[in-house]
Amino acid sequence: MNAFIYQSNPSRVVFGAGALQHLAREIEALGARRALILSTPEQAASARHVAELLGDRAVGIFAKAVMHVPIESAREARDEAKRLGADCAVAIGGGSTTGLGKAIALESGLPILAIPTTYAGSEMTSIYGITEAGLKKTGRDARVLPRTVIYDPELTLTLPLGMTVTSGLNAIAHAAEGLYAHDGNPIMSMMAEEGIRATAAAMPRLAIDTKDVAARADMLYGAWLCGTVLGAVSMGLHHKLCHTLGGSFNLPHAEVHTVILPHALAYNAAHAPEAMQRVARGLGSASAAAGVFDLAHRHHAPTALKDIGMPADGLDHAADIAVQNQYPNPRPLERAAIRELLQRAFDGTRPD
Ligand code: NAD
């Protein structure tokens, strides 16, 4: 075994169907008395339910979270937290809502209690992102790592099948890149393979019945593991490409991950054979790249950039940005090969 460094992110996880009932206990354990509850406008009813559960420990609801945390919305939420004298933020929702909580914590140091309702995994990372003047800046800061995470599969029953599949593939992407990370370690690799297995195995069950609580629990468990990997080791070409495409062409986050992953894995395959074996084993497929593509295709998720709003004349620019800064990736970043990768992703060509 090679030498490695392992550092865990300190957070408390409360997992299980009905786990939301422990919210008041968990807020008390944080020593908080004045929680500000965050959600998107679409999930305002969930935020109100959380406020009811907290009674007088809830001081307000800010139901204006939007994708990619625009600086204006971060400022408004920070002002609201100050105005109300909040001593904690409760984020119920997907990565966008958790991201808003992180923007508040980055400035104020307020503890976050996250209640994830998608499989994006942001709740397990100290990575934040804030968008200003069309540019999304990301960074890592220990203050933004949620202190407590309540995973309650019952809260994911309303996630439509399409988003369930793409969000699950977003989770699988974290684990897949974690398996070939230059700063990876055997513990994270173990979590990554198990995360892929649990997520991929739950998908066909949810395709039959999106309200299957046991399958939802398995998927959320997989997403937790995959998110932990994202938080602990460095990501490579796949995440860089998705960040570029999402930011520069305003493409939907989980769908971009779904479309790019098979092609990023094919690009790296010959340079990371052991990682590919583990991805394939997790998927229960013969090949990592084709296995991910088939998983998406089988569940009617998008498999082509052209179908999710990518303009054909943007591919050259995307390839340029992807190679602007060198970063660790199993296969060196080659402009021509990345341009080809993007073309295949644009067309939706199945990798071998
Ligand atoms: P999202 O949070 O934008 O949610 C998409 C939509 O689904 C929203 O309208 C939301 O209200 C709704 N929704 C969420 N859960 C639902 C449920 N259970 N039932 C019905 N509707 C539900 O989507 P996302 O993919 O979770 O997050 C994407 C964002 O998170 C991106 O901005 C991405 O960059 C960020 N992200 C950050 C990290 C990190 O570590 N910092 C990790 C992953 C994703």
Side-chain angles (χ1 to χ4, degrees):
M1 180 172 295
N2 296 329
F4 61 86
I5 293 174
Y6 167 75
Q7 181 158 349
S8 64
N9 276 334
S11 70
R12 174 176 165 88
V13 169
V14 179
F15 189 101
L20 186 63
Q21 66 181 303
H22 303 305
L23 176 64
R25 179 192 77 195
E26 293 303 321
I27 287 289
E28 205 175 331
L30 282 175
R33 308 191 148 269
R34 302 181 62 78
L36 174 63
I37 296 133
L38 310 173
S39 76
T40 59
E42 295 82 13
Q43 289 179 286
S46 302
R48 283 194 296 275
H49 178 53
V50 162
E52 274 162 28
L53 287 173
L54 285 178
D56 58 11
R57 282 182 193 260
V59 290
I61 294 176
F62 186 87
K64 298 187 199 170
V66 286
M67 185 92 100
H68 301 313
V69 195
I71 184 74
E72 299 75 19
S73 115
R75 285 197 186 117
E76 199 185 336
R78 286 167 176 168
D79 290 348
E80 187 68 351
K82 264 186 231 147
R83 190 181 70 76
L84 294 168
D87 60 3
C88 139
V90 175
I92 180 154
S96 298
T97 305
T98 309
L100 182 63
K102 288 176 167 184
I104 297 174
L106 184 64
E107 197 192 64
S108 62
L110 284 194
I112 301 171
L113 185 150
I115 309 168
T117 62
T118 70
Y119 308 114
S122 176
E123 68 282 354
M124 295 314 293
T125 84
S126 58
I127 306 166
Y128 63 87
I130 296 177
T131 304
E132 192 164 7
L135 256 190
K136 186 165 180 180
K137 285 186 206 144
T138 57
R140 282 186 191 255
D141 192 305
R143 281 177 303 177
V144 311
L145 178 75
R147 304 269 182 91
T148 305
V149 180
I150 297 181
Y151 283 112
D152 185 341
E154 287 180 357
L155 303 174
T156 62
L157 297 179
T158 48
L159 197 65
L161 180 60
M163 175 97 186
T164 298
V165 173
T166 55
S167 192
L169 279 152
N170 183 191
I172 288 176
H174 308 325
E177 289 229 293
L179 280 164
Y180 55 57
H182 71 98
D183 53 0
N185 64 66
I187 307 302
M188 283 304 134
S189 295
M190 199 165 61
M191 285 191 172
E193 187 176 334
E194 171 67 356
I196 294 171
R197 188 205 57 74
T199 308
M203 246 179 237
R205 292 157 66 202
L206 290 171
I208 295 169
D209 177 9
T210 54
K211 309 257 186 250
D212 178 338
V213 180
R216 286 287 184 189
D218 288 355
M219 188 112 162
L220 202 53
Y221 159 73
W224 164 40
L225 296 177
C226 295
T228 303
V229 174
L230 171 70
V233 303
S234 301
M235 299 289 109
L237 175 67
H238 169 78
H239 279 74
K240 176 77 178 172
L241 281 176
C242 291
H243 185 80
T244 302
L245 293 166
S248 307
F249 301 95
N250 199 25
L251 304 185
H253 176 81
E255 282 90 335
V256 178
H257 275 272
T258 300
V259 172
I260 293 294
L261 187 61
H263 305 283
L265 293 181
Y267 182 93
N268 281 328
H271 295 253
E274 200 194 322
M276 296 302 152
Q277 245 176 32
R278 295 189 77 163
V279 174
R281 197 162 61 204
L283 294 171
S285 130
S287 141
V292 171
F293 184 94
D294 293 344
L295 192 62
H297 188 253
R298 208 179 304 132
H299 293 99
H300 313 291
T303 50
L305 287 177
K306 65 175 158 58
D307 296 336
I308 59 166
M310 178 71 192
D313 60 7
L315 295 176
D316 281 323
H317 181 52
D320 289 340
I321 309 177
V323 296
Q324 247 167 25
N325 303 311
Q326 289 292 317
Y327 46 87
N329 185 64
R331 176 174 167 190
L333 306 176
E334 299 157 24
R335 165 73 174 69
I338 288 175
R339 178 64 180 80
E340 278 171 32
L341 176 170
L342 286 169
Q343 190 64 51
R344 283 193 294 276
F346 184 82
D347 296 333
T349 312
R350 182 182 184 272
D352 298 330

